[in-house]
Amino acid sequence: MRPRFVVLYGSQKGQAQSIAEGIAEEAEEHGLVADLCCLNQNDKYNLEKERAPVVFVVSTTGDGEPPDNALQFVKRIKKRTLSPDHYKHLLYALLALGDTNYANFCNCGKTIERRLRELGAKQFYPTGYADDGVGLELVIDPWLKGLWNSIKDTLSKMASDRTVQLKEDSAKEIPESSLPDVQLNLLSIADKQICEPDSKYSSSLAISDVRPASASTVSSSAPKTQACSEGVPQVSLAASLTSSLPPLSESSLNVPALPPPYLDVALQEADAVEQAVERLSKETCNEVPISKAVQLSKGDSVKTALLLELDISVSAFPSMTYHPGDSFDVFCPNVAEEVDHLLHRLGLQDQKNHRVQISLKHNTKKRGAQVPPHIPENVSLLFLLTWCLEIRSVPKKAFLRALVEHTSDSAQKRRLQELCSKQGAADYNLYVRDPSLSVSELLTAFPSYNKMIDIFACLSELLPKLQPRPYSAASSHLRHPEKLRFVFNVVEFPACSGRPTGRRGLCTGWLFDLVNPGLVFPEKAELALPKIHVSLRPSYSFRPPSDPSLPFIMIGPGTGVAPFIGFLQQREEEKKENPEAKFGETWLFFGCRYRNKDYLFREELENFVSSGTLNHLKVCFSREDRKNEEEPPSAAQPRYVQHNLLLCCRQVTDILLRQDGYIYVCGDAKNMAKDVNETLVEMIKTELQVDQLEAMKMLAGLREQKRYLQDIWA
């Protein structure tokens, strides 16, 4: 009997699941058996009795929350009634996926690991923290490479110890000597574990720990500047998506093995196929009318900001009752022109109305193989590509590897091999991942492929579900009964190598096109606006304090101000209903580029101040009246919201640390939220005269108490 181990995953968008499935498949090559389960499949695994090693692969979603299919597992292991030796028999390894653009990096993985250790579980292999902000594979690849020896060592030592202990009590704890010596030379471990707040987890592997073994391990073909004999710099011929330069073009390549296909795809003519968008959501999906569309930005503003109002009358949509701080999902289709282009690239445009039949290959050896649950039955090819598959998703290296087999041009074949190889990781990031190249754009760049239906079958295996896009409610039902408002900027992506023209954000561009006639001709009040499909996403933490007497601070530049409009509308109505009640102080820090172009909700915010609903409004304009862009902001002219925070250092820290107040941050995760967090640390250091570590601990304490809350996006 082959040695056995368990693989458990929690995945929101399919990435963690795909990695877990890959581990289970590769186990056979190592002479092992892997039991693969999702964390929500409680009937298929039992950690309380499990004696085999367990490998966890988990992602993080939202503001550090577990994926939906891991939520109940996390709740179970967090029960304080569990004893400290509850999992003393358990040996585990963990791979956490996250994104350092968000504050709670890999929080789900860290939560699971911390709790497993508190319950007595022992780690047999260092934890990996993979960062989607710079490339998951930088940690995943070496982590997976080292996993197999550790699993084998662990299983071998467990079997040896089991033989010795046969005569002993079967309930006896596995001794420390049974744990393998973890080899940490796979990755260079930095002295400072920046991704793990608890120093006792000193064996974790973070993205910052990765060091290339040698210059030849990862080669880049990005253009390099060279000096000629006269000392005049010369730029070598530029590399691109479709061509490379030395050293990569001359390197030997470690090309991954081709994963065997596991889906069969057939297209059949059909008289009728089901095309209901409502089938796409397990939750309640409502088709609601847009009742108003207003452009908030003015003139030649850099970004186009729109406000949309939805009609959600209780009689028609009882499931759409919301509260300030809640968000909701908008179900949008892929762009019709992009779907048409992909059909053309696949040579399937004449069969777009055929019914798609997808089934498992009868001889597949893929463990846990199933038709992806986001692919419904009895739908047309056109519907599948329009509403079900994220055709804009960045092509995985597995797809590039599969495309190698179907490419006839030798130069294109070589370049695809480079992009999916270990040596070509830098080029893959530079030309595919970073510019968010789509499958269709990749196929356009490498047109010498054949066997179109096989390529489509591969896409069916690899393309993730077309996810609905979340938006924050920008209104209160007390102010606007039976209405729901939200705000967004129309996102613009620039042209790049592989994308000759720019493109707009999928959902924001679609919404703009839907309402644009109403924006262009506002005088035509009778103009009917369309309906869209939405479902509510209640937030159980990002809400105003339940005790209205507590003060709170809101930080929301740009469209990040949206949920705080709902907060303030709610507060104003509550004050009208209870004029004698005690209400805490309110602060709003808002910022934008120009006062007269993109100061969103200016009139309403000033009215909140006049009515006493908003006690302090701090506004800054980053591009206004600044002759020199490099000139630092002065005290009289703050540039960003964090500069205004510093000017109010004493009041803000007093609210947070002495008055039990709350602070909310909404907006850009990559820059603003990070800068605000760093500023808060500096403010605490200054006001309380403590060091950096102590200030960070105090801020972390506010997070734990749910008094420092974020609604941020990359």
Side-chain angles (χ1 to χ4, degrees):
M1 182 180 294
R2 290 183 294 174
R4 165 186 169 276
F5 69 101
V6 178
V7 182
L8 301 177
Y9 66 85
S11 185
Q12 189 70 20
K13 296 183 178 180
Q15 186 74 272
Q17 178 180 348
S18 176
I19 294 168
E21 290 172 349
I23 293 173
E25 288 177 32
E26 192 174 343
E28 295 189 10
E29 300 175 16
H30 294 272
L32 306 174
V33 174
D35 291 345
L36 176 68
C37 302
C38 181
L39 283 168
N40 65 1
Q41 296 175 311
N42 305 327
D43 56 329
K44 294 188 177 182
Y45 70 93
N46 185 351
L47 293 185
E48 278 68 21
K49 297 181 179 180
E50 188 56 68
R51 291 302 186 269
V54 180
V55 177
F56 293 88
V57 184
V58 292
S59 61
T60 295
T61 187
D63 187 20
E65 285 96 27
D68 293 341
N69 56 19
L71 187 58
Q72 292 306 314
F73 172 79
V74 173
K75 286 182 177 179
R76 282 202 309 276
I77 65 173
K78 289 176 76 172
K79 289 180 180 177
R80 290 300 163 186
T81 54
L82 298 178
S83 66
D85 62 354
H86 187 78
Y87 285 139
K88 68 178 183 180
H89 59 281
L90 194 67
L91 296 175
Y92 76 92
L94 188 144
L95 175 62
L97 312 185
D99 189 332
T100 48
N101 286 319
Y102 295 86
N104 292 323
F105 174 63
C106 286
N107 190 59
C108 177
K110 291 176 182 178
T111 299
I112 290 175
E113 171 154 51
R114 181 173 62 249
R115 194 62 184 134
L116 288 176
R117 285 177 172 267
E118 290 172 352
L119 297 174
K122 300 177 183 66
Q123 183 187 60
F124 72 84
Y125 182 60
T127 296
Y129 294 108
D131 180 8
D132 198 31
V134 296
L136 294 171
E137 67 278 359
L138 292 179
V139 159
I140 291 175
D141 290 351
W143 190 88
L144 291 175
K145 182 178 179 181
L147 175 67
W148 298 108
N149 283 339
S150 282
I151 288 181
K152 291 174 185 177
D153 288 346
T154 302
L155 288 167
S156 176
K157 292 191 177 185
M158 289 175 70
S160 176
D161 292 333
R162 196 175 296 117
T163 301
V164 173
Q165 296 173 13
L166 276 177
K167 296 180 181 181
E168 299 181 10
D169 188 345
S170 60
K172 184 179 179 181
E173 179 183 353
I174 300 174
E176 292 292 335
S177 60
S178 68
L179 296 177
D181 295 326
V182 178
Q183 298 297 318
L184 297 184
N185 58 350
L186 295 169
L187 299 182
S188 175
I189 304 301
D191 293 332
K192 185 178 180 182
Q193 296 294 327
I194 63 168
C195 294
E196 180 53 63
D198 192 336
S199 60
K200 68 182 179 180
Y201 301 145
S202 58
S203 61
S204 59
L205 304 180
I207 191 69
S208 61
D209 302 326
V210 178
R211 304 286 188 272
S214 67
S216 61
T217 302
V218 180
S219 304
S220 174
S221 59
K224 298 180 180 179
T225 301
Q226 300 175 338
C228 64
S229 58
E230 289 80 13
V232 179
Q234 292 181 330
V235 180
S236 61
L237 293 174
S240 68
L241 172 65
T242 55
S243 62
S244 60
L245 295 173
L248 180 59
S249 62
E250 299 171 352
S251 299
S252 297
L253 302 176
N254 295 110
V255 178
L258 178 67
Y262 67 93
L263 292 182
D264 274 329
V265 176
L267 300 176
Q268 294 186 343
E269 290 190 57
D271 295 331
V273 288
E274 195 169 341
Q275 312 282 44
V277 178
E278 289 81 356
R279 295 180 60 192
L280 304 179
S281 174
K282 294 179 182 178
E283 299 80 24
T284 304
C285 183
N286 299 284
E287 187 180 21
V288 302
I290 299 173
S291 54
K292 181 188 288 186
V294 179
Q295 181 167 330
L296 299 180
S297 53
K298 300 174 183 178
D300 58 349
S301 175
V302 174
K303 297 181 179 180
T304 301
L306 301 183
L307 178 145
L308 267 58
E309 180 183 83
L310 306 179
D311 187 344
I312 55 165
S313 57
V314 176
S315 58
F317 308 106
S319 65
M320 288 296 291
T321 302
Y322 71 98
H323 300 276
D326 286 350
S327 58
F328 61 97
D329 286 330
V330 174
F331 293 83
C332 65
N334 286 308
V335 178
E337 291 79 7
E338 293 177 17
V339 172
D340 204 46
H341 185 255
L342 181 56
L343 285 167
H344 176 74
R345 297 307 316 168
L346 294 172
L348 299 174
Q349 62 269 44
D350 293 337
Q351 297 167 274
K352 64 182 181 181
N353 293 318
H354 285 32
R355 178 191 291 121
V356 181
Q357 288 196 324
I358 298 180
S359 58
L360 291 179
K361 287 184 175 293
H362 70 278
N363 60 345
T364 182
K365 295 182 180 179
K366 179 180 173 66
R367 294 188 63 83
Q370 61 175 341
V371 176
H374 55 269
I375 297 182
E377 298 178 353
N378 194 35
V379 295
S380 70
L381 175 59
L382 180 63
F383 183 85
L384 183 66
L385 293 178
T386 301
W387 288 100
C388 306
L389 301 179
E390 187 92 55
I391 66 173
R392 276 193 182 182
S393 67
V394 175
K396 296 180 180 179
K397 289 186 178 181
F399 178 68
L400 274 67
R401 178 64 184 85
L403 202 56
V404 169
E405 302 303 309
H406 301 300
T407 300
S408 57
D409 183 89
S410 59
Q412 292 181 24
K413 185 186 291 283
R414 165 70 192 194
R415 184 55 173 156
L416 287 168
Q417 290 173 329
E418 290 172 353
L419 291 170
C420 69
S421 71
K422 180 180 180 180
Q423 290 75 14
D427 272 28
Y428 174 80
N429 286 339
L430 184 61
Y431 298 114
V432 180
R433 182 184 174 278
D434 293 346
S436 297
L437 217 61
S438 71
V439 165
S440 184
E441 289 163 342
L442 186 81
L443 292 175
T444 300
F446 297 93
S448 70
Y449 52 86
N450 47 42
K451 296 186 179 180
M452 310 299 188
I453 198 68
D454 289 345
I455 293 176
F456 175 65
C458 183
L459 289 176
S460 301
E461 295 176 8
L462 297 175
L463 285 180
K465 175 185 178 182
L466 177 58
Q467 295 285 346
R469 272 46 176 179
Y471 294 92
S472 301
S475 55
S476 163
H477 66 280
L478 295 182
R479 171 67 60 84
H480 300 285
E482 303 190 337
K483 303 292 184 185
L484 170 60
R485 293 180 169 186
F486 67 103
V487 181
F488 61 90
N489 286 323
V490 180
V491 179
E492 301 283 350
F493 294 98
C496 63
S497 176
R499 184 189 304 131
T501 59
R503 70 184 185 200
R504 293 183 302 190
L506 183 63
C507 192
T508 60
W510 175 68
L511 289 170
F512 178 81
D513 288 340
L514 281 180
V515 303
N516 194 35
L519 294 171
V520 176
F521 306 108
E523 68 279 1
K524 294 189 176 181
E526 73 281 0
L527 188 66
L529 290 170
K531 296 181 178 181
I532 60 175
H533 290 86
V534 300
S535 65
L536 190 64
R537 292 181 60 174
S539 170
Y540 300 105
S541 57
F542 197 86
R543 288 184 177 172
S546 55
D547 181 352
S549 67
L550 293 175
F552 62 91
I553 299 162
M554 301 163 284
I555 303 172
T559 55
V561 74
F564 305 133
I565 297 299
F567 280 31
L568 293 168
Q569 288 179 355
Q570 184 95 350
R571 170 59 60 92
E572 192 162 67
E573 296 303 315
E574 288 172 344
K575 291 184 75 171
K576 290 177 182 177
E577 293 176 3
N578 301 286
E580 303 302 318
K582 180 183 178 182
F583 290 93
E585 200 173 43
T586 55
W587 292 67
L588 174 63
F589 292 84
F590 175 78
C592 60
R593 286 178 172 81
Y594 297 99
R595 184 189 309 269
N596 296 321
K597 293 181 181 180
D598 43 19
Y599 188 168
L600 309 184
F601 298 102
R602 177 177 181 175
E603 184 176 345
E604 188 164 4
L605 290 174
E606 291 173 348
N607 287 339
F608 285 140
V609 174
S610 299
S611 69
T613 303
L614 178 59
N615 302 108
H616 304 275
L617 174 60
K618 303 296 181 180
V619 184
C620 55
F621 308 101
S622 63
R623 299 292 185 271
E624 202 160 272
D625 300 326
R626 189 180 300 278
K627 295 178 181 179
N628 182 2
E629 288 295 319
E630 300 301 319
E631 177 188 344
S634 64
Q637 192 184 44
R639 185 172 182 179
Y640 297 119
V641 287
Q642 61 267 26
H643 300 145
N644 262 332
L645 272 175
L646 284 171
L647 295 178
C648 305
C649 181
R650 182 162 298 178
Q651 300 98 311
V652 169
T653 52
D654 187 66
I655 287 172
L656 296 179
L657 303 177
R658 299 185 181 91
Q659 300 182 41
D660 295 328
Y662 287 65
I663 185 166
Y664 303 85
V665 181
C666 183
D668 166 51
K670 190 172 184 179
N671 298 307
M672 182 276 298
K674 284 184 177 180
D675 291 341
V676 166
N677 189 81
E678 291 171 1
T679 300
L680 290 172
V681 170
E682 290 302 316
M683 291 164 62
I684 293 172
K685 284 172 59 180
T686 300
E687 287 300 313
L688 273 66
Q689 295 296 299
V690 296
D691 62 19
Q692 178 91 0
L693 182 59
E694 185 61 28
M696 292 173 68
K697 286 182 178 179
M698 297 179 78
L699 205 55
L702 293 178
R703 288 186 187 277
E704 287 290 324
Q705 298 167 38
K706 300 295 183 183
R707 293 198 292 119
Y708 176 14
L709 298 159
Q710 294 179 312
D711 179 4
I712 56 179
W713 56 86

